[in-house]
Amino acid sequence: MADEAVPQAQTDRVIAGPRGRKPRRALSGRNIMIYGTLIVVALYYLLPLYVMVMTSLKGMPEIRLGNIFAPPVEITFEPWVKAWASACTGLNCDGLSRGFWNSVRITVPSTIVSIAIASVNGYALANWRFKGAELFFTILIVGAFIPYQVMIYPIVIVLREMGIYGTLTGLIIVHTIFGMPILTLLFRNYFAGLPEELFKAARVDGAGFWTIYFRIMLPMSLPIFVVAMILQVTGIWNDFLFGVVFTRPEYYPMTVQLNNIVNSVQGVKEYNVNMAATILTGAVPLFVYFVSGRLFVRGIAAGAVKG
Amino acid sequence: MAGHTQGSGRPNQWLRNLNAKIASVPMILTAVVIFLGGTIWTVVYSFTNSKLLPRLSFVGLDQYERLWDAPRWLVSVQNLAIYGIFSLIFSLVIGFVLAALMDQKIRFENTFRTIMLYPFALSFIVTGLVWQWLLNPEFGIQSVVRSLGWESFTFDPLYNADIVIYGILIAALWQGTGLVMCLMLAGLRGIDEDIWKAARVDGIPMWKTYIFVVIPMMRGVFITTLVIIASGIVKVYDLVVAQTSGGPGIASEVPAKYVYDYMFQAQNLGQGFAASTMMLITVAIIIVPWAYLEFGGGRKRV
């Protein structure tokens, strides 16, 4: 699937390419066209980020007068402070900080639990095949394509019966469930690609299911764990639907709280605070993206079906 | 691969690979109880007149009749169709063109790719709110162009019921084309360089080589991308909530939002189940032929 194409790009990029001719003039008409187009496109992609940052640094009077592209005359960090600490959602006026910590409390355990479960599942599927496993796995993969809306209500009932509907625990379980298909696929493929001799040798030495997993498979697969982690952290942090459906307002993740702050009907719209809040919410996935580079591409290419 | 655990001579079939079976319990439960069970449950209850609570009193196709009579649902479906067709076409075309440009052995490739892909790291909520701000007629692009002297310039897609769905499309393309570009670029890099050499020897112009040789060779990448985009389209929800909340009026409603609103706000579960079953059918129409092509021919490729 998608994820196998990406690493190939990394290995092939040096040797492949449409044009083999070597010496080229730097300023040919063709080059001007290519770079011109790319620069214009890049500006289009960067524009919203630029406008967000500029707006968040202005005071309201300046926003009402000036245009959104103009840099702030007087830089103020007031909107950032307000967005973080005192913007109102409903009855609470403690800003996005509450949502931020909720998101942290949701993302960290969800990521760890889903990766732990899915990696063991993938390992069992790749190395310890048993009858019927493929059938369940197929159901799981097909299930990844089913719109969440179809499964949401039954899950509400199950969580309610378990007494954890509306809590962080419930949401963590939901994220684990919906992360399972793509993560299991990721790990199954990775483990299946490891040399079989390793596994066989360990078996001959008498190692069992868990020993092989912890002593051989786990240390050999750090890269795929990192990819899975990127995929889960960004995916769970950016989630909105599950957060809104499965938690109570005091546990809303940052995305839900952000939407409530910006789209609340009462009061004067403070565009600078809204944009500061938006940047704050986007900061974590952007940080992951910039730090992880190529691994992020692998992760999202693998996980695109989930999003 | 399966061989190494087979025929170990254990007497009891059930005890063989016991650890693997125990380890697979979460996967089996998810697959069977949540994915299969949950889906069947919703489909079954879509034939009932459940209101506040799910009840098993069957009313046949009533919910579906009411659904297809509801103006709001019809608007939702129409919006999804417009949004879907345009975002498929634009993201494939733009994504491919960008990938082809990036494949010209350019400098700063990494920089360009980073810039084009960063929106994909952002939540749909963040994307929606940014574009809500840019498309705000009072302050955004419209007001900037007007202040440059073009007084009659009008660009307020989010406030105009006729074109609001295109306003959402702009944001969606900003967010998603980077990923399509990356997938396409990977596909292009997978094409053998000899193809390009042969085409050049034969004097075939570059654009012709792309259209008649390279694109047909990238069939697999295109289909994968198409499935990824299409299954994302059906689920579009967050973006609409953030950008317009379905407004003005009901002009930018989408099916996923209809489902949510009927299940959790209007307390009309039957309608929500019927609408979500329609979403399920839509996805099945996309996925089944693809799964057949991808996995039907023999062994799995994954």
Side-chain angles (χ1 to χ4, degrees):
Chain A
M1 280 180 65
D3 61 324
E4 61 186 46
V6 174
Q8 200 176 15
Q10 290 160 6
T11 53
D12 286 355
R13 61 184 295 269
V14 188
I15 43 172
R19 283 221 155 187
R21 209 177 298 160
K22 283 212 183 89
R24 274 191 305 180
R25 281 177 303 139
L27 264 181
S28 61
R30 186 172 155 274
N31 267 358
I32 293 175
M33 204 203 75
I34 291 175
Y35 284 101
T37 314
L38 285 176
I39 288 168
V40 170
V41 170
L43 288 179
Y44 166 75
Y45 281 103
L46 284 175
L47 192 70
L49 189 63
Y50 169 81
V51 171
M52 264 199 281
V53 175
M54 289 309 143
T55 306
S56 73
L57 295 173
K58 291 174 187 169
M60 272 314 281
E62 206 182 314
I63 288 178
R64 284 194 206 94
L65 292 172
N67 81 48
I68 53 168
F69 300 122
V73 179
E74 229 178 292
I75 292 179
T76 166
F77 291 98
E78 203 60 34
W80 287 73
V81 175
K82 185 161 186 199
W84 177 256
S86 65
C88 294
T89 45
L91 296 172
N92 304 313
C93 284
D94 48 6
L96 271 179
S97 51
R98 173 200 293 267
F100 174 84
W101 291 114
N102 281 340
S103 279
V104 170
R105 284 159 70 198
I106 293 162
T107 305
V108 172
S110 301
T111 304
I112 295 172
V113 172
S114 60
I115 289 177
I117 291 178
S119 65
V120 175
N121 271 339
Y123 162 66
L125 282 169
N127 296 350
W128 298 83
R129 300 197 172 178
F130 58 91
K131 226 176 162 188
E134 284 295 312
L135 174 70
F136 296 122
F137 182 63
T138 309
I139 298 175
L140 195 72
I141 297 301
V142 172
F145 288 97
I146 299 175
Y148 302 143
Q149 282 78 5
V150 181
M151 294 174 273
I152 278 182
Y153 206 85
I155 297 175
V156 168
I157 295 177
V158 170
L159 293 182
R160 204 184 276 151
E161 291 299 311
M162 291 165 72
I164 49 174
Y165 176 63
T167 65
L168 290 177
T169 316
L171 187 57
I172 290 163
I173 292 176
V174 170
H175 279 304
T176 306
I177 287 172
F178 285 99
M180 195 111 55
I182 197 64
L183 291 179
T184 307
L185 180 71
L186 202 67
F187 283 110
R188 189 194 79 139
N189 290 353
Y190 188 86
F191 290 133
L194 292 177
E196 210 185 333
E197 288 71 30
L198 269 171
F199 179 82
K200 280 183 178 162
R203 287 278 282 161
V204 171
D205 288 349
F209 184 86
W210 295 108
T211 319
I212 297 179
Y213 174 77
F214 281 111
R215 302 282 293 277
I216 296 169
M217 295 300 177
L218 206 58
M220 285 192 69
S221 18
L222 273 180
I224 203 71
F225 274 89
V226 175
V227 167
M229 203 182 78
I230 294 166
L231 180 70
Q232 284 300 84
V233 169
T234 53
I236 295 169
W237 191 275
N238 286 338
D239 160 70
F240 175 79
L241 181 66
F242 295 151
V244 124
V245 171
F246 296 108
T247 54
R248 283 193 295 270
E250 70 256 41
Y251 296 130
Y252 276 161
M254 206 175 187
T255 47
V256 178
Q257 219 194 0
L258 168 72
N259 187 55
N260 290 349
I261 289 177
V262 176
N263 285 331
S264 73
V265 271
Q266 68 265 54
V268 189
K269 283 222 169 213
E270 294 181 289
Y271 298 104
N272 48 0
V273 176
N274 291 351
M275 282 301 116
T278 312
I279 299 171
L280 284 170
T281 309
V284 169
L286 278 184
F287 177 78
V288 173
Y289 171 60
F290 285 118
V291 169
S292 64
R294 289 241 167 91
L295 288 174
F296 178 87
V297 181
R298 274 193 75 184
I300 54 148
V305 280
K306 191 186 132 204
Chain B
M1 191 76 201
H4 52 68
T5 53
Q6 304 283 316
S8 51
R10 296 265 181 86
N12 194 331
Q13 185 75 13
W14 284 96
L15 285 175
R16 197 145 59 81
N17 280 352
L18 188 64
N19 273 319
K21 282 171 186 162
I22 294 170
S24 301
V25 166
M27 178 192 88
I28 293 170
L29 280 180
T30 302
V32 176
V33 177
I34 304 292
F35 289 175
L36 199 61
T39 305
I40 293 171
W41 189 95
T42 299
V43 174
V44 168
Y45 275 84
S46 73
F47 297 105
T48 68
N49 64 357
S50 305
K51 286 279 182 212
L52 185 65
L53 292 170
R55 287 189 313 148
L56 269 178
S57 56
F58 290 97
V59 290
L61 288 170
D62 269 15
Q63 295 289 4
Y64 291 90
E65 279 168 25
R66 205 181 313 162
L67 183 69
W68 287 99
D69 276 337
R72 188 175 154 192
W73 173 254
L74 296 176
V75 170
S76 304
V77 171
Q78 197 190 345
N79 277 339
L80 188 66
I82 297 173
Y83 172 86
I85 290 167
F86 280 100
S87 63
L88 269 182
I89 295 173
F90 280 120
S91 46
L92 284 178
V93 171
I94 297 172
F96 183 80
V97 170
L98 288 180
L101 287 173
M102 298 280 279
D103 199 32
Q104 305 301 311
K105 292 193 173 153
I106 56 158
R107 301 176 71 185
F108 310 115
E109 186 194 317
N110 275 336
T111 314
F112 282 121
R113 195 171 49 188
T114 305
I115 292 172
M116 288 174 201
L117 192 61
Y118 89 88
F120 194 80
L122 296 170
S123 160
F124 268 127
I125 295 292
V126 169
T127 304
L129 296 176
V130 176
W131 282 92
Q132 189 194 63
W133 176 233
L134 283 163
L135 298 176
N136 182 325
E138 238 179 293
F139 302 98
I141 295 168
Q142 172 175 306
S143 112
V144 171
V145 175
R146 280 187 183 178
S147 70
L148 293 173
W150 187 0
E151 295 292 339
S152 62
F153 178 80
T154 308
F155 186 64
D156 58 347
L158 300 188
Y159 293 80
N160 181 340
D162 295 330
I163 53 168
V164 61
I165 195 68
Y166 299 98
I168 291 166
L169 184 67
I170 293 174
L173 288 175
W174 178 77
Q175 213 242 11
T177 38
L179 172 70
V180 181
M181 187 273 293
C182 276
L183 296 173
M184 295 286 172
L185 190 57
L188 283 173
R189 297 271 151 85
I191 302 274
D192 196 335
E193 176 145 36
D194 291 344
I195 302 283
W196 287 104
K197 282 183 187 153
R200 212 165 52 235
V201 168
D202 289 346
I204 304 171
M206 202 170 183
W207 65 271
K208 268 196 175 172
T209 316
Y210 268 119
I211 292 178
F212 295 111
V213 183
V214 172
I215 291 181
M217 285 179 77
M218 281 170 62
R219 207 179 124 263
V221 176
F222 269 92
I223 292 175
T224 306
T225 314
L226 198 88
V227 169
I228 290 171
I229 306 172
S231 61
I233 287 169
V234 181
K235 293 179 199 163
V236 63
Y237 171 73
D238 315 13
L239 194 58
V240 176
V241 170
Q243 252 187 307
T244 64
S245 313
I250 55 164
S252 59
E253 292 288 347
V254 285
K257 190 162 174 295
Y258 189 95
V259 172
Y260 176 84
D261 288 353
Y262 274 89
M263 275 187 198
F264 298 101
Q265 319 251 278
Q267 310 284 20
N268 192 339
L269 290 174
Q271 269 294 285
F273 296 148
S276 58
T277 305
M278 295 310 303
M279 289 178 70
L280 176 68
I281 293 170
T282 316
V283 171
I285 290 170
I286 302 165
I287 298 301
V288 169
W290 170 75
Y292 184 77
L293 284 174
E294 183 92 3
F295 307 116
R299 277 187 57 82
K300 276 188 184 182
R301 281 203 296 141
V302 281

